[in-house]
Amino acid sequence: MTQERAPDEDGKNLRRMAEEAIRGKAANRPEISEDLSPENMLRMLHEMRVQQVELEIQNEELLLARAEADRMRRQYADLYELIPAGCVTCDRQGLILHANLTTELMLGVVGDGLIRMPLAGFVAPESQDRYHLLQQVVRKGAESHSGELQLIKGDGSLFWVRIDCRAGFDAEGRQIFCYVISDISKQRFSYEALSASVEFTTSLIHSMEDGFSVLDLDGVTKDASPALCEMTGFSEQELLGTIAPYPYWPPEEYSTIQSALQDTMAGNGKDFELVFMRKNEERFPVIVSAFSVKDRIGVPMGFAATVIDITERKRAEKILLESEQRNRSLYESMMDGFVMADLTGKLTDWNQVFQEMLGYSKEELRNLTYQDLTPARWHEMETRILEEQVLPRGYSDCFE
């Protein structure tokens, strides 16, 4: 911390210097040979009074200027002590010459405990190389240099700082080094937490079995999962930085996919069934689930989408449809009536022979159960057949 001189010290020194000057002038002054008539005496007295008033005015102005200078000095001293950053001055050997109050509180060493201490003694072992490199750069002529280091508090705990170093000279021409030290522990913690979050998100995206793509607000691809790359045949480098139309958009599907992308960017994200293109130009069906990514207050930050290759599902649906068509052709060609019902007895399907046999229309049969088509006295027997034969073994005996 800095120390101020006592307020009356300058005044005492000034008086002592003035008395010595008067004594010197009196010793060398020749004898007065002027006319000491009353008129001259009055004139001299008037001049002396005028000079006295002038000196009093000058003295008052000097006192005001001195008071203002003292006020400014105290103000700057307070600013130096309380600025929210550590300020340290070291000599060429790295010993601390001055340190403000913020530095003392930052390091946990108050009073004069820092003076003549080596600043390097407060630098954590793993940051020593960076600290000495910072000094060397400035010693070699750089105007200033900065870096991030870990310092050690008086209690042994570590904290991160940003330190800016600048070389200079004191009033006697000796080289000094001035450091501005800012505590960045909170920012460093936030950065590390953000890095961990980004790493987790990246790992999550890259471990997904479905394709995943991330776009910024301008539609530029910022990330593409390995699954999407494998699905389309394009490498991550080929996809990153691309904009619409993306490499996996078939030309004939541009308008359809562009419309889906615009809906997503307008905040209407949903599932879209689209057709994508592999690098070998093979087309394949996909389900794209698109959504906007927002920050904590709901402001959009970008867009993302999962992509599921439904080629196998479409193939299975086609096989099932063909099977159903074959089955339909089979029981429509039967000479006997054929009917299907669910477990509640509601009719679900039948052939034309069955419909003509009963004489109902399709609309009427859709609203009926098999119990509506049989006498009430059969219902108990039908229930027993269902429970004892159909459900256990999948079919019943023939009965009339």
Side-chain angles (χ1 to χ4, degrees):
M1 297 178 61
T2 58
Q3 296 181 349
E4 295 187 8
R5 260 187 323 195
D8 294 335
E9 186 177 344
D10 290 342
K12 291 179 181 179
N13 292 336
L14 183 62
R15 183 176 181 83
R16 185 174 62 253
M17 293 171 60
E19 289 175 347
E20 291 176 355
I22 290 174
R23 286 194 295 269
K25 288 181 179 180
N28 300 323
R29 189 172 54 194
E31 294 184 0
I32 299 176
S33 59
E34 295 182 4
D35 181 11
L36 297 179
S37 64
E39 292 80 4
N40 288 337
M41 292 292 290
L42 290 173
R43 187 172 60 254
M44 291 174 62
L45 180 61
H46 174 73
E47 290 295 330
M48 291 175 64
R49 287 176 176 172
V50 171
Q51 290 181 8
Q52 180 182 3
V53 172
E54 290 177 350
L55 291 173
E56 289 175 351
I57 293 173
Q58 292 176 358
N59 185 57
E60 184 177 356
E61 291 176 349
L62 288 173
L63 289 174
L64 290 174
R66 178 182 174 184
E68 178 64 15
D70 288 343
R71 186 188 68 81
M72 294 296 293
R73 185 170 63 250
R74 288 193 300 271
Q75 180 176 336
Y76 283 115
D78 291 341
L79 180 62
Y80 172 78
E81 296 294 345
L82 301 177
I83 188 173
C87 296
V88 179
T89 303
C90 295
D91 62 14
R92 188 170 179 80
Q93 287 71 41
L95 301 179
I96 298 175
L97 302 176
H98 305 287
N100 67 348
L101 179 60
T102 302
T103 303
E104 296 177 2
L105 297 175
M106 190 181 294
L107 295 175
V109 181
V110 297
D112 294 330
L114 293 176
I115 305 304
R116 305 306 299 174
M117 291 286 291
L119 181 59
F122 295 94
V123 178
E126 55 270 27
S127 295
Q128 287 286 342
D129 290 343
R130 276 177 287 175
Y131 169 71
H132 291 297
L133 176 63
L134 182 146
Q135 279 194 318
Q136 290 175 8
V137 171
V138 176
R139 286 175 186 269
K140 291 180 179 179
E143 182 177 352
S144 63
H145 194 59
S146 61
E148 294 184 0
L149 311 171
Q150 270 191 306
L151 299 186
I152 308 172
K153 292 187 177 183
D155 61 4
S157 59
L158 300 177
F159 65 106
W160 280 97
V161 300
R162 176 182 175 82
I163 186 167
D164 296 270
C165 178
R166 183 182 295 269
F169 297 91
D170 63 11
E172 299 177 1
R174 292 172 299 194
Q175 188 176 36
I176 56 175
F177 296 92
C178 301
Y179 299 90
V180 177
I181 304 172
S182 304
D183 189 340
I184 60 170
S185 299
K186 291 182 179 179
Q187 296 94 315
R188 189 80 182 194
F189 176 79
S190 299
Y191 171 78
E192 290 175 354
L194 178 61
S195 298
S197 176
V198 170
E199 182 178 357
F200 173 79
T201 302
T202 302
S203 299
L204 181 64
I205 291 174
H206 286 204
S207 64
M208 293 177 63
E209 294 184 359
D210 297 332
F212 194 83
S213 176
V214 179
L215 311 178
D216 65 14
L217 293 176
D218 296 321
V220 179
T221 302
K222 308 304 291 186
D223 202 351
S225 71
L228 180 64
C229 296
E230 182 179 357
M231 184 185 303
T232 61
F234 293 97
S235 67
E236 184 179 16
Q237 290 71 27
E238 290 175 310
L239 294 180
L240 293 182
T242 57
I243 59 175
Y246 301 100
Y248 45 83
W249 285 14
E252 69 275 11
E253 299 289 337
Y254 279 0
S255 60
T256 301
I257 304 177
Q258 182 67 41
S259 177
L261 179 61
Q262 290 174 349
D263 283 348
T264 301
M265 289 185 167
N268 302 320
K270 57 182 179 180
D271 292 350
F272 303 95
E273 186 169 327
L274 305 169
V275 175
F276 278 3
M277 179 179 66
R278 306 189 202 279
K279 189 174 183 179
N280 62 5
E281 298 188 355
E282 176 191 353
R283 274 59 170 171
F284 65 103
V286 295
I287 293 290
V288 178
S289 299
F291 55 93
S292 61
V293 180
K294 300 179 181 179
D295 62 16
R296 292 183 177 179
I297 61 174
V299 177
M301 301 170 58
F303 308 95
T306 58
V307 182
I308 302 175
D309 185 344
I310 58 172
T311 302
E312 293 302 320
R313 195 187 82 179
K314 285 290 187 180
R315 185 178 294 115
E317 289 176 352
K318 181 179 179 181
I319 293 173
L320 179 61
L321 178 61
E322 292 173 349
S323 175
E324 290 178 346
Q325 291 174 343
R326 286 196 300 271
N327 291 336
R328 163 84 40 192
S329 299
L330 177 62
Y331 66 76
E332 284 293 346
S333 63
M334 294 172 63
M335 301 298 294
D336 299 324
F338 178 87
V339 63
M340 290 189 295
D342 60 22
L343 293 178
T344 66
K346 184 176 179 60
L347 305 185
T348 58
D349 201 3
W350 54 88
N351 64 1
Q352 187 65 28
V353 174
F354 180 79
Q355 181 177 335
E356 293 175 354
M357 184 185 298
L358 297 180
Y360 289 100
S361 66
K362 287 185 178 180
E363 289 71 20
E364 290 173 326
L365 287 175
R366 287 195 186 99
N367 298 315
L368 297 177
T369 67
Y370 72 87
Q371 290 180 333
D372 296 326
L373 303 176
T374 57
R377 66 180 183 274
W378 290 9
H379 293 172
E380 182 179 352
M381 179 187 65
E382 292 168 342
T383 301
R384 188 170 64 253
I385 292 173
L386 178 66
E387 294 176 350
E388 296 177 358
Q389 299 181 25
V390 177
L391 293 179
R393 65 190 189 188
Y395 63 93
S396 70
D397 298 331
C398 296
F399 62 94
E400 295 183 2

